[in-house]
Amino acid sequence: MANCEHFRFMEPSIGTRPSSDLTFKFFEDGKLVIVDNDTGRTINPRELRGGSYDFYVRQRIAFIKRDLNAKRAKYA
């Protein structure tokens, strides 16, 4: 199994939107798994809204940068 980075995101409820407790798993082969910790359901990135979507985008960009830097260091 490929190495992965785990992140947990907890967003408080805002207005009528319920709180969210999500675990993001970024695998080194580019695969992503998002799990709703309250229900155990796997979530598609298209279902994310608000702070959870912002968190996902920031972590994805950071993951890509780290991966590129590691490859650059390895093959340079």
Side-chain angles (χ1 to χ4, degrees):
M1 178 148 204
N3 291 331
C4 71
E5 297 178 1
H6 294 254
F7 296 96
R8 185 169 182 187
F9 178 79
M10 297 177 71
E11 183 177 28
S13 61
I14 300 172
T16 59
R17 190 170 32 159
S19 64
S20 58
D21 181 6
L22 306 172
T23 296
F24 293 79
K25 297 178 185 179
F26 293 91
F27 292 86
E28 66 182 9
D29 62 359
K31 181 180 170 188
L32 169 70
V33 175
I34 305 170
V35 178
D36 183 334
N37 293 322
D38 293 330
T39 63
R41 184 174 77 88
T42 302
I43 296 176
N44 187 316
R46 293 180 186 151
E47 298 176 55
L48 298 174
R49 299 284 181 264
S52 58
Y53 181 75
D54 185 55
F55 178 81
Y56 159 70
V57 170
R58 290 176 188 268
Q59 291 303 322
R60 176 59 98 185
I61 291 170
F63 179 80
I64 291 168
K65 285 181 179 180
R66 285 190 302 274
D67 185 52
L68 288 173
N69 286 333
K71 287 177 181 174
R72 186 179 308 147
K74 182 178 179 180
Y75 296 110

mmCIF file of all heavy atoms in Angstrom, residues 7-39:
data_model
loop_
_atom_site.group_PDB
_atom_site.id
_atom_site.type_symbol
_atom_site.label_atom_id
_atom_site.label_comp_id
_atom_site.label_asym_id
_atom_site.label_seq_id
_atom_site.Cartn_x
_atom_site.Cartn_y
_atom_site.Cartn_z
ATOM 1 N N PHE A 7 -5.125 13.999 7.353
ATOM 2 C CA PHE A 7 -5.478 15.282 7.948
ATOM 3 C C PHE A 7 -6.913 15.196 8.430
ATOM 4 O O PHE A 7 -7.765 14.606 7.771
ATOM 5 C CB PHE A 7 -5.379 16.426 6.919
ATOM 6 C CG PHE A 7 -3.997 16.663 6.409
ATOM 7 C CD1 PHE A 7 -3.592 16.098 5.217
ATOM 8 C CD2 PHE A 7 -3.102 17.433 7.121
ATOM 9 C CE1 PHE A 7 -2.318 16.307 4.734
ATOM 10 C CE2 PHE A 7 -1.833 17.650 6.643
ATOM 11 C CZ PHE A 7 -1.435 17.085 5.453
ATOM 12 N N ARG A 8 -7.167 15.814 9.577
ATOM 13 C CA ARG A 8 -8.535 15.854 10.099
ATOM 14 C C ARG A 8 -8.995 17.302 10.084
ATOM 15 O O ARG A 8 -8.274 18.204 10.505
ATOM 16 C CB ARG A 8 -8.584 15.312 11.519
ATOM 17 C CG ARG A 8 -9.992 15.213 12.050
ATOM 18 C CD ARG A 8 -10.037 14.450 13.330
ATOM 19 N NE ARG A 8 -11.406 14.327 13.806
ATOM 20 C CZ ARG A 8 -11.722 13.817 14.962
ATOM 21 N NH1 ARG A 8 -10.780 13.371 15.757
ATOM 22 N NH2 ARG A 8 -12.973 13.745 15.337
ATOM 23 N N PHE A 9 -10.201 17.524 9.605
ATOM 24 C CA PHE A 9 -10.774 18.858 9.533
ATOM 25 C C PHE A 9 -12.097 18.863 10.261
ATOM 26 O O PHE A 9 -12.981 18.066 9.957
ATOM 27 C CB PHE A 9 -10.988 19.283 8.071
ATOM 28 C CG PHE A 9 -11.614 20.642 7.948
ATOM 29 C CD1 PHE A 9 -10.848 21.776 8.096
ATOM 30 C CD2 PHE A 9 -12.967 20.768 7.697
ATOM 31 C CE1 PHE A 9 -11.419 23.036 7.996
ATOM 32 C CE2 PHE A 9 -13.548 22.020 7.594
ATOM 33 C CZ PHE A 9 -12.770 23.154 7.744
ATOM 34 N N MET A 10 -12.219 19.768 11.239
ATOM 35 C CA MET A 10 -13.464 19.902 11.995
ATOM 36 C C MET A 10 -13.973 21.321 11.798
ATOM 37 O O MET A 10 -13.306 22.280 12.151
ATOM 38 C CB MET A 10 -13.220 19.605 13.468
ATOM 39 C CG MET A 10 -12.763 18.171 13.702
ATOM 40 S SD MET A 10 -12.379 17.821 15.409
ATOM 41 C CE MET A 10 -14.008 17.838 16.102
ATOM 42 N N GLU A 11 -15.157 21.417 11.211
ATOM 43 C CA GLU A 11 -15.767 22.712 10.933
ATOM 44 C C GLU A 11 -17.010 22.872 11.800
ATOM 45 O O GLU A 11 -17.866 21.985 11.818
ATOM 46 C CB GLU A 11 -16.145 22.801 9.457
ATOM 47 C CG GLU A 11 -16.725 24.127 9.053
ATOM 48 C CD GLU A 11 -17.015 24.179 7.562
ATOM 49 O OE1 GLU A 11 -17.283 23.125 6.948
ATOM 50 O OE2 GLU A 11 -16.979 25.277 7.021
ATOM 51 N N PRO A 12 -17.122 23.990 12.516
ATOM 52 C CA PRO A 12 -18.321 24.190 13.336
ATOM 53 C C PRO A 12 -19.542 24.446 12.454
ATOM 54 O O PRO A 12 -19.418 24.828 11.292
ATOM 55 C CB PRO A 12 -17.976 25.435 14.166
ATOM 56 C CG PRO A 12 -16.942 26.150 13.370
ATOM 57 C CD PRO A 12 -16.183 25.086 12.610
ATOM 58 N N SER A 13 -20.725 24.237 13.016
ATOM 59 C CA SER A 13 -21.947 24.496 12.251
ATOM 60 C C SER A 13 -22.095 26.001 12.055
ATOM 61 O O SER A 13 -21.792 26.796 12.933
ATOM 62 C CB SER A 13 -23.165 23.921 12.958
ATOM 63 O OG SER A 13 -23.312 24.521 14.223
ATOM 64 N N ILE A 14 -22.550 26.354 10.848
ATOM 65 C CA ILE A 14 -22.736 27.764 10.510
ATOM 66 C C ILE A 14 -24.148 27.911 9.969
ATOM 67 O O ILE A 14 -24.493 27.312 8.944
ATOM 68 C CB ILE A 14 -21.704 28.221 9.456
ATOM 69 C CG1 ILE A 14 -20.290 28.053 9.992
ATOM 70 C CG2 ILE A 14 -21.961 29.656 9.031
ATOM 71 C CD1 ILE A 14 -19.204 28.290 8.973
ATOM 72 N N GLY A 15 -24.955 28.687 10.640
ATOM 73 C CA GLY A 15 -26.340 28.881 10.197
ATOM 74 C C GLY A 15 -27.087 27.564 10.171
ATOM 75 O O GLY A 15 -27.169 26.853 11.159
ATOM 76 N N THR A 16 -27.610 27.218 8.998
ATOM 77 C CA THR A 16 -28.372 25.970 8.860
ATOM 78 C C THR A 16 -27.485 24.810 8.441
ATOM 79 O O THR A 16 -27.931 23.667 8.441
ATOM 80 C CB THR A 16 -29.487 26.137 7.812
ATOM 81 O OG1 THR A 16 -28.891 26.497 6.563
ATOM 82 C CG2 THR A 16 -30.476 27.202 8.226
ATOM 83 N N ARG A 17 -26.223 25.107 8.081
ATOM 84 C CA ARG A 17 -25.311 24.042 7.654
ATOM 85 C C ARG A 17 -24.756 23.324 8.886
ATOM 86 O O ARG A 17 -24.233 23.957 9.805
ATOM 87 C CB ARG A 17 -24.164 24.645 6.839
ATOM 88 C CG ARG A 17 -23.315 23.614 6.162
ATOM 89 C CD ARG A 17 -22.366 24.217 5.189
ATOM 90 N NE ARG A 17 -21.929 25.541 5.593
ATOM 91 C CZ ARG A 17 -20.832 26.122 5.161
ATOM 92 N NH1 ARG A 17 -20.063 25.508 4.322
ATOM 93 N NH2 ARG A 17 -20.509 27.325 5.565
ATOM 94 N N PRO A 18 -24.855 21.996 8.929
ATOM 95 C CA PRO A 18 -24.360 21.252 10.099
ATOM 96 C C PRO A 18 -22.829 21.242 10.153
ATOM 97 O O PRO A 18 -22.153 21.516 9.163
ATOM 98 C CB PRO A 18 -24.902 19.840 9.879
ATOM 99 C CG PRO A 18 -25.100 19.734 8.407
ATOM 100 C CD PRO A 18 -25.438 21.121 7.926
ATOM 101 N N SER A 19 -22.309 20.938 11.326
ATOM 102 C CA SER A 19 -20.858 20.844 11.471
ATOM 103 C C SER A 19 -20.337 19.648 10.688
ATOM 104 O O SER A 19 -21.077 18.719 10.384
ATOM 105 C CB SER A 19 -20.475 20.713 12.945
ATOM 106 O OG SER A 19 -20.987 19.509 13.473
ATOM 107 N N SER A 20 -19.049 19.702 10.353
ATOM 108 C CA SER A 20 -18.471 18.565 9.635
ATOM 109 C C SER A 20 -17.179 18.144 10.315
ATOM 110 O O SER A 20 -16.429 18.973 10.818
ATOM 111 C CB SER A 20 -18.219 18.909 8.163
ATOM 112 O OG SER A 20 -17.361 20.019 8.051
ATOM 113 N N ASP A 21 -16.943 16.856 10.359
ATOM 114 C CA ASP A 21 -15.744 16.252 10.925
ATOM 115 C C ASP A 21 -15.231 15.286 9.864
ATOM 116 O O ASP A 21 -15.802 14.212 9.676
ATOM 117 C CB ASP A 21 -16.075 15.526 12.227
ATOM 118 C CG ASP A 21 -14.871 14.882 12.879
ATOM 119 O OD1 ASP A 21 -13.740 15.085 12.392
ATOM 120 O OD2 ASP A 21 -15.060 14.169 13.881
ATOM 121 N N LEU A 22 -14.186 15.690 9.143
ATOM 122 C CA LEU A 22 -13.718 14.937 7.990
ATOM 123 C C LEU A 22 -12.267 14.507 8.151
ATOM 124 O O LEU A 22 -11.464 15.219 8.749
ATOM 125 C CB LEU A 22 -13.832 15.792 6.718
ATOM 126 C CG LEU A 22 -15.194 16.396 6.418
ATOM 127 C CD1 LEU A 22 -15.089 17.366 5.247
ATOM 128 C CD2 LEU A 22 -16.203 15.311 6.133
ATOM 129 N N THR A 23 -11.930 13.355 7.594
ATOM 130 C CA THR A 23 -10.552 12.899 7.507
ATOM 131 C C THR A 23 -10.176 12.843 6.033
ATOM 132 O O THR A 23 -10.887 12.247 5.232
ATOM 133 C CB THR A 23 -10.368 11.507 8.135
ATOM 134 O OG1 THR A 23 -10.660 11.592 9.524
ATOM 135 C CG2 THR A 23 -8.938 11.010 7.956
ATOM 136 N N PHE A 24 -9.073 13.502 5.699
ATOM 137 C CA PHE A 24 -8.557 13.522 4.337
ATOM 138 C C PHE A 24 -7.322 12.642 4.291
ATOM 139 O O PHE A 24 -6.421 12.800 5.119
ATOM 140 C CB PHE A 24 -8.157 14.947 3.928
ATOM 141 C CG PHE A 24 -9.305 15.894 3.816
ATOM 142 C CD1 PHE A 24 -9.870 16.475 4.940
ATOM 143 C CD2 PHE A 24 -9.805 16.228 2.578
ATOM 144 C CE1 PHE A 24 -10.923 17.366 4.837
ATOM 145 C CE2 PHE A 24 -10.866 17.120 2.459
ATOM 146 C CZ PHE A 24 -11.419 17.685 3.585
ATOM 147 N N LYS A 25 -7.252 11.735 3.334
ATOM 148 C CA LYS A 25 -6.083 10.878 3.140
ATOM 149 C C LYS A 25 -5.549 11.127 1.737
ATOM 150 O O LYS A 25 -6.204 10.808 0.752
ATOM 151 C CB LYS A 25 -6.442 9.403 3.305
ATOM 152 C CG LYS A 25 -6.935 9.042 4.680
ATOM 153 C CD LYS A 25 -7.318 7.587 4.750
ATOM 154 C CE LYS A 25 -7.932 7.254 6.102
ATOM 155 N NZ LYS A 25 -8.320 5.843 6.166
ATOM 156 N N PHE A 26 -4.360 11.726 1.670
ATOM 157 C CA PHE A 26 -3.705 11.993 0.395
ATOM 158 C C PHE A 26 -2.627 10.929 0.198
ATOM 159 O O PHE A 26 -1.663 10.871 0.964
ATOM 160 C CB PHE A 26 -3.053 13.378 0.405
ATOM 161 C CG PHE A 26 -4.035 14.515 0.474
ATOM 162 C CD1 PHE A 26 -4.438 15.041 1.689
ATOM 163 C CD2 PHE A 26 -4.546 15.048 -0.687
ATOM 164 C CE1 PHE A 26 -5.327 16.095 1.744
ATOM 165 C CE2 PHE A 26 -5.448 16.103 -0.647
ATOM 166 C CZ PHE A 26 -5.836 16.622 0.576
ATOM 167 N N PHE A 27 -2.776 10.096 -0.828
ATOM 168 C CA PHE A 27 -1.823 9.034 -1.108
ATOM 169 C C PHE A 27 -0.760 9.531 -2.075
ATOM 170 O O PHE A 27 -1.030 10.392 -2.925
ATOM 171 C CB PHE A 27 -2.537 7.815 -1.689
ATOM 172 C CG PHE A 27 -3.429 7.123 -0.701
ATOM 173 C CD1 PHE A 27 -4.737 7.539 -0.512
ATOM 174 C CD2 PHE A 27 -2.955 6.071 0.056
ATOM 175 C CE1 PHE A 27 -5.563 6.915 0.408
ATOM 176 C CE2 PHE A 27 -3.771 5.430 0.971
ATOM 177 C CZ PHE A 27 -5.076 5.861 1.154
ATOM 178 N N GLU A 28 0.448 8.982 -1.975
ATOM 179 C CA GLU A 28 1.556 9.447 -2.815
ATOM 180 C C GLU A 28 1.329 9.181 -4.303
ATOM 181 O O GLU A 28 1.921 9.844 -5.142
ATOM 182 C CB GLU A 28 2.876 8.837 -2.362
ATOM 183 C CG GLU A 28 2.980 7.349 -2.535
ATOM 184 C CD GLU A 28 4.287 6.771 -2.024
ATOM 185 O OE1 GLU A 28 5.062 7.475 -1.386
ATOM 186 O OE2 GLU A 28 4.509 5.587 -2.286
ATOM 187 N N ASP A 29 0.438 8.264 -4.635
ATOM 188 C CA ASP A 29 0.145 8.001 -6.045
ATOM 189 C C ASP A 29 -0.936 8.936 -6.597
ATOM 190 O O ASP A 29 -1.382 8.780 -7.732
ATOM 191 C CB ASP A 29 -0.256 6.545 -6.258
ATOM 192 C CG ASP A 29 -1.535 6.146 -5.513
ATOM 193 O OD1 ASP A 29 -2.116 6.983 -4.801
ATOM 194 O OD2 ASP A 29 -1.944 4.982 -5.657
ATOM 195 N N GLY A 30 -1.377 9.934 -5.787
ATOM 196 C CA GLY A 30 -2.354 10.913 -6.231
ATOM 197 C C GLY A 30 -3.781 10.612 -5.810
ATOM 198 O O GLY A 30 -4.664 11.446 -5.949
ATOM 199 N N LYS A 31 -4.024 9.435 -5.272
ATOM 200 C CA LYS A 31 -5.368 9.053 -4.839
ATOM 201 C C LYS A 31 -5.755 9.867 -3.603
ATOM 202 O O LYS A 31 -4.923 10.229 -2.787
ATOM 203 C CB LYS A 31 -5.392 7.565 -4.509
ATOM 204 C CG LYS A 31 -6.730 7.034 -4.080
ATOM 205 C CD LYS A 31 -6.642 5.549 -3.768
ATOM 206 C CE LYS A 31 -7.920 5.084 -3.098
ATOM 207 N NZ LYS A 31 -7.794 3.717 -2.611
ATOM 208 N N LEU A 32 -7.035 10.145 -3.484
ATOM 209 C CA LEU A 32 -7.569 10.893 -2.349
ATOM 210 C C LEU A 32 -8.780 10.165 -1.789
ATOM 211 O O LEU A 32 -9.635 9.695 -2.550
ATOM 212 C CB LEU A 32 -7.991 12.299 -2.784
ATOM 213 C CG LEU A 32 -8.801 13.105 -1.778
ATOM 214 C CD1 LEU A 32 -7.934 13.507 -0.594
ATOM 215 C CD2 LEU A 32 -9.390 14.326 -2.441
ATOM 216 N N VAL A 33 -8.845 10.078 -0.467
ATOM 217 C CA VAL A 33 -10.021 9.522 0.200
ATOM 218 C C VAL A 33 -10.450 10.528 1.261
ATOM 219 O O VAL A 33 -9.638 10.976 2.066
ATOM 220 C CB VAL A 33 -9.707 8.159 0.865
ATOM 221 C CG1 VAL A 33 -10.915 7.654 1.651
ATOM 222 C CG2 VAL A 33 -9.264 7.142 -0.162
ATOM 223 N N ILE A 34 -11.732 10.894 1.233
ATOM 224 C CA ILE A 34 -12.292 11.789 2.242
ATOM 225 C C ILE A 34 -13.386 11.016 2.966
ATOM 226 O O ILE A 34 -14.303 10.500 2.340
ATOM 227 C CB ILE A 34 -12.901 13.056 1.608
ATOM 228 C CG1 ILE A 34 -11.867 13.769 0.740
ATOM 229 C CG2 ILE A 34 -13.432 13.991 2.698
ATOM 230 C CD1 ILE A 34 -12.445 14.878 -0.103
ATOM 231 N N VAL A 35 -13.269 10.931 4.284
ATOM 232 C CA VAL A 35 -14.229 10.175 5.092
ATOM 233 C C VAL A 35 -14.929 11.118 6.060
ATOM 234 O O VAL A 35 -14.280 11.900 6.755
ATOM 235 C CB VAL A 35 -13.518 9.047 5.880
ATOM 236 C CG1 VAL A 35 -14.501 8.297 6.748
ATOM 237 C CG2 VAL A 35 -12.793 8.107 4.941
ATOM 238 N N ASP A 36 -16.256 11.041 6.094
ATOM 239 C CA ASP A 36 -17.048 11.765 7.079
ATOM 240 C C ASP A 36 -16.969 10.953 8.373
ATOM 241 O O ASP A 36 -17.460 9.825 8.436
ATOM 242 C CB ASP A 36 -18.492 11.890 6.606
ATOM 243 C CG ASP A 36 -19.354 12.689 7.554
ATOM 244 O OD1 ASP A 36 -19.045 12.753 8.767
ATOM 245 O OD2 ASP A 36 -20.352 13.250 7.089
ATOM 246 N N ASN A 37 -16.324 11.502 9.391
ATOM 247 C CA ASN A 37 -16.105 10.760 10.630
ATOM 248 C C ASN A 37 -17.395 10.514 11.421
ATOM 249 O O ASN A 37 -17.444 9.615 12.253
ATOM 250 C CB ASN A 37 -15.086 11.490 11.510
ATOM 251 C CG ASN A 37 -13.714 11.490 10.879
ATOM 252 O OD1 ASN A 37 -13.283 10.523 10.269
ATOM 253 N ND2 ASN A 37 -13.020 12.603 11.004
ATOM 254 N N ASP A 38 -18.425 11.304 11.169
ATOM 255 C CA ASP A 38 -19.694 11.107 11.874
ATOM 256 C C ASP A 38 -20.483 9.929 11.321
ATOM 257 O O ASP A 38 -21.123 9.196 12.065
ATOM 258 C CB ASP A 38 -20.550 12.374 11.790
ATOM 259 C CG ASP A 38 -19.932 13.543 12.555
ATOM 260 O OD1 ASP A 38 -19.232 13.288 13.558
ATOM 261 O OD2 ASP A 38 -20.137 14.691 12.131
ATOM 262 N N THR A 39 -20.433 9.741 9.984
ATOM 263 C CA THR A 39 -21.230 8.682 9.358
ATOM 264 C C THR A 39 -20.399 7.526 8.828
ATOM 265 O O THR A 39 -20.938 6.468 8.529
ATOM 266 C CB THR A 39 -22.050 9.254 8.184
ATOM 267 O OG1 THR A 39 -21.146 9.736 7.186
ATOM 268 C CG2 THR A 39 -22.970 10.377 8.626
#
